[in-house]
Amino acid sequence: ATQQQPILTPQTSPITLTQDKLTALSGYEISLDEAKKHLETLNFTVHEFTATHLTAQSPSYRMDIDGPADLVEEILRIKGYDKIPLTP
């Protein structure tokens, strides 16, 4: 009888996003609580959540998520790019 090989699932690394980084990259104030909700909507796992930062891991099928900027992009995409305030 032949043995079946295990199916390997790609692993993604946890990414830490601070409130300061979220504000700097998005250009306006988004709470970490709101960010957490948007990430969970996209099947991200939030491992750590405090008043100053969160640590999230993307689902295994999202190998394109590589750092805090990618998390912010996903948060803004779900929130709606049209919700970003215009600044002169």
Side-chain angles (χ1 to χ4, degrees), residues 19-65:
Q19 180 66 65
D20 289 343
K21 182 66 90 173
L22 176 57
T23 301
L25 290 174
S26 66
Y28 71 111
E29 192 73 30
I30 301 172
S31 71
L32 283 173
D33 188 53
E34 182 179 357
K36 177 179 182 279
K37 289 176 188 169
H38 291 316
L39 291 171
E40 289 173 340
T41 296
L42 295 169
N43 297 321
F44 283 70
T45 303
V46 177
H47 296 290
E48 189 175 337
F49 179 72
T50 71
T52 60
H53 74 276
L54 62 78
T55 300
Q57 189 167 355
S58 62
S60 61
Y61 56 86
R62 291 299 309 269
M63 299 303 292
D64 60 314
I65 305 297

Side-chain angles (χ1 to χ4, degrees), residues 5-27:
Q5 294 294 320
I7 297 173
L8 300 177
T9 304
Q11 292 295 312
T12 58
S13 298
I15 301 167
T16 298
L17 178 63
T18 65
Q19 180 66 65
D20 289 343
K21 182 66 90 173
L22 176 57
T23 301
L25 290 174
S26 66

